[in-house]
Amino acid sequence: LDKQLALIDKVHAQLAQQGKQLIMLPVPMKLDTYAEHSSYAPAERISSLYQQFSQRLAERGIDTVDLRSAYQDVAAAEPLFLRNDTHWSPKGAELAAQTLARQFPQLRGNTPYITQAAG
């Protein structure tokens, strides 16, 4: 984690020099979001990782979007990850975009977010 945070610090500094803002969207683990479907309880080290990472970003002055809370609020009603892997589903990506837009409305553009089935 320290190694990754050091790299993020570098990017944050480079962007700040250019007058740009870094906003991080830490993605909660699928196991964390759907823990009730697991045959084992995640270790404390794993279940606390999201909060630790977000807290350490905040300590560095890096803006974050709390996707964990947003995901936990709708996880029971919506499939936020693809069934057989850990990638976002279209609903998970849409929720991330909506959560980002609510927290940082100045980033909203004019292009609508559209989900379409592809071959």
Side-chain angles (χ1 to χ4, degrees), residues 44-109:
E44 173 62 27
R45 189 183 105 222
I46 291 174
S47 60
S48 67
L49 185 59
Y50 185 92
Q51 186 60 35
Q52 285 179 21
F53 183 57
S54 296
Q55 184 175 6
R56 291 184 66 187
L57 290 170
E59 290 167 0
R60 289 165 160 73
I62 298 171
D63 290 317
T64 61
V65 175
D66 182 14
L67 292 184
R68 184 182 202 194
S69 295
Y71 272 36
Q72 288 176 336
D73 287 347
V74 300
E78 297 284 350
L80 302 174
F81 294 91
L82 296 177
R83 180 180 162 97
N84 293 323
D85 68 32
T86 58
H87 289 90
W88 281 339
S89 69
K91 288 290 183 186
E94 181 178 16
L95 179 58
Q98 290 170 343
T99 305
L100 172 67
R102 272 194 301 277
Q103 190 169 337
F104 296 93
Q106 71 274 20
L107 298 178
R108 288 182 187 220

Side-chain angles (χ1 to χ4, degrees), residues 20-41:
K20 305 292 182 189
Q21 178 183 14
L22 175 63
I23 301 172
M24 299 283 298
L25 283 84
V27 179
M29 288 183 278
K30 185 176 183 178
L31 178 60
D32 186 28
T33 304
Y34 292 105
E36 70 276 7
H37 296 290
S38 176
S39 57
Y40 63 92

